[in-house]
Amino acid sequence: MGVSEEATNPPKSLLADVDGAMCPARLVLEHVTSRWGVLILIALHKRSYRFSELRRHVGRVSEKMLTQTLQTLERDGFVHRDAKPVIPPRVDYSLTPLGEEAARRVRELARWTDQRVPEVTAARERYDALRRETATGSSQ
């Protein structure tokens, strides 16, 4: 039995074309790194939440946006929605194994960002000062 073409020539990495408009990884990357996607993954990495608890924990997210983001993350296989058949209805959200992996990586990025805030603040101050000098110099 011969070795398949796919086994000997695996497809090129999707990352090689992540900047391409039709790249399948691009949409997933957008979902995982969206404003609310990042915060939801980080929150669910700690524990499961009910909808209202998650909304309070994340903060400043509308019900509509939280619902849409959870549905998107569930569709992509990152979030598990567990609807309990009780009255009143109870729905818990947790991460799937794929979601756990994504959350770990997003948390690493969040930690790196937190460590670099002073550098970003300094860069902003330099930029703003230069813009003020340029504006002042050109108006004279």
Side-chain angles (χ1 to χ4, degrees), residues 4-6 10-11 18 26 32 34 44 49 55 58 61 71 81-82 94 98 102 110 113:
S4 73
E5 174 73 18
E6 191 172 290
V18 77
R26 183 177 183 165
V32 170
S34 71
L44 291 175
Y49 281 93
R55 185 166 181 233
V58 170
V61 61
Q71 286 174 344
R81 181 181 186 273
D82 183 20
S94 60
L98 184 64
T113 303

Side-chain angles (χ1 to χ4, degrees), residues 96-124:
T96 64
L98 184 64
E100 288 284 342
E101 182 181 354
R104 277 194 307 275
R105 294 177 185 273
V106 167
R107 256 183 100 92
E108 289 174 27
L109 179 59
R111 275 192 214 106
W112 176 86
T113 303
D114 189 49
Q115 293 168 354
R116 297 298 186 230
V117 167
E119 293 170 59
V120 171
T121 301
R124 288 176 178 169

